[in-house]
Amino acid sequence: YAYAHLLADEKRRHPGDDIMSILLAQVDDDGGQVSAEEFENMFWLFAVAGNETLRNGLPGACIALLDYPAAQAELRADPGLMPRAVEEMLRWVSPIKDMVRTTTRPVELHGARIPEGAEVMLVYPAANRDEAVFERPETFDAAREPNPHLAFGFGAHFCLGNQLARLELKVMTERLLARLPDLHLTVDRSTLPRRPANFISGIEEMPVAFTPTARLTPASPTL
């Protein structure tokens, strides 16, 4: 937030054609501009929301493919399955673990009475393993369809970056399968250290070994 505040001051003094300058130049319905607090929160969304989620989601998706070699084989045999596999990765990993919402009125949910003004924690991994919604929810199924997961939330708070996240996960997984066909863990899966957080969490380290299928030249992009 401190960095965002400094950035906003700089862009207001010297605006350019970058996204931050454009954002700060916007005018709301009352004729006011984006406040410092609003900019700080929007900057956080730009800098973090599309970063930590995918950064923690990709290793989880990778482990799912290592745990389910049949899914790898399916994707190599039929690349057209990749969009479905991406949805299953999102369901399986659920990088964002929870959000808290406040009820605006009394409601009954599955026999439980929730009063107005109550804080309710929405636990996305639990929803994405709901046996009433998903058949064999504890199985990674690269061809699962339909797949109404809630990895991106829902309603008014549905993730704005969902299409970019899907594309990034698709491209990264395609390149991973193509370049590293013998990728495997070098430690026991149960020993992988996980990030001690309950909002966005994932694997801190994932030691692997592989043999690249082609030698990289200095001008070649690296994974």
Side-chain angles (χ1 to χ4, degrees):
Y1 284 162
Y3 177 80
H5 189 76
L6 293 172
L7 180 64
D9 286 346
E10 174 66 18
K11 293 300 181 181
R12 283 194 170 105
R13 287 195 301 268
H14 306 290
D17 59 359
D18 57 279
I19 191 168
M20 295 303 169
S21 297
I22 294 169
L23 179 62
L24 288 165
Q26 300 307 302
V27 178
D28 63 24
D29 294 339
D30 298 322
Q33 290 187 311
V34 174
S35 69
E37 293 76 14
E38 289 172 328
F39 180 79
E40 287 169 0
N41 280 286
M42 291 180 184
F43 178 81
W44 182 87
L45 288 174
F46 277 109
V48 178
N51 177 337
E52 288 204 55
T53 47
L54 191 72
R55 180 163 56 84
N56 288 291
L58 185 63
C62 182
I63 286 180
L65 291 176
L66 295 178
D67 284 348
Y68 290 85
Q72 281 196 58
E74 281 186 278
L75 289 172
R76 287 196 172 95
D78 183 4
L81 283 177
M82 188 58 74
R84 289 193 208 174
V86 166
E87 299 305 312
E88 182 70 344
M89 292 171 191
L90 291 164
R91 180 191 77 86
W92 188 256
V93 180
S94 302
I96 293 182
K97 304 306 179 188
D98 62 74
M99 287 281 186
V100 174
R101 295 286 179 257
T102 304
T103 55
T104 59
R105 58 181 175 81
V107 64
E108 183 171 327
L109 182 65
H110 296 291
R113 292 287 298 173
I114 304 175
E116 178 182 348
E119 290 190 346
V120 181
M121 178 176 283
L122 312 176
V123 183
Y124 295 119
N128 289 339
R129 295 290 201 284
D130 190 343
E131 294 179 352
V133 178
F134 301 98
E135 183 179 350
R136 296 177 295 107
E138 297 300 330
T139 298
F140 181 86
D141 181 359
R144 185 183 296 275
E145 194 176 41
N147 192 344
H149 65 79
L150 300 179
F152 292 120
F154 59 91
H157 297 281
F158 189 74
C159 175
L160 291 175
N162 70 90
Q163 293 301 322
L164 177 59
R166 285 180 164 110
L167 179 61
E168 290 175 316
L169 196 53
K170 175 179 180 291
V171 171
M172 289 183 186
T173 305
E174 286 174 340
R175 299 310 302 148
L176 196 70
L177 291 175
R179 292 294 303 276
L180 310 176
D182 65 343
L183 183 73
H184 59 278
L185 290 171
T186 58
V187 298
D188 186 272
R189 186 187 185 287
S190 63
T191 65
L192 294 176
R194 290 188 170 272
R195 185 180 187 186
N198 69 344
F199 177 49
I200 301 178
S201 63
I203 297 160
E204 294 281 66
E205 297 176 13
M206 192 174 74
V208 297
F210 57 86
T211 305
T213 57
R215 184 179 298 276
L216 292 174
T217 64
S220 300
T222 58
L223 289 174

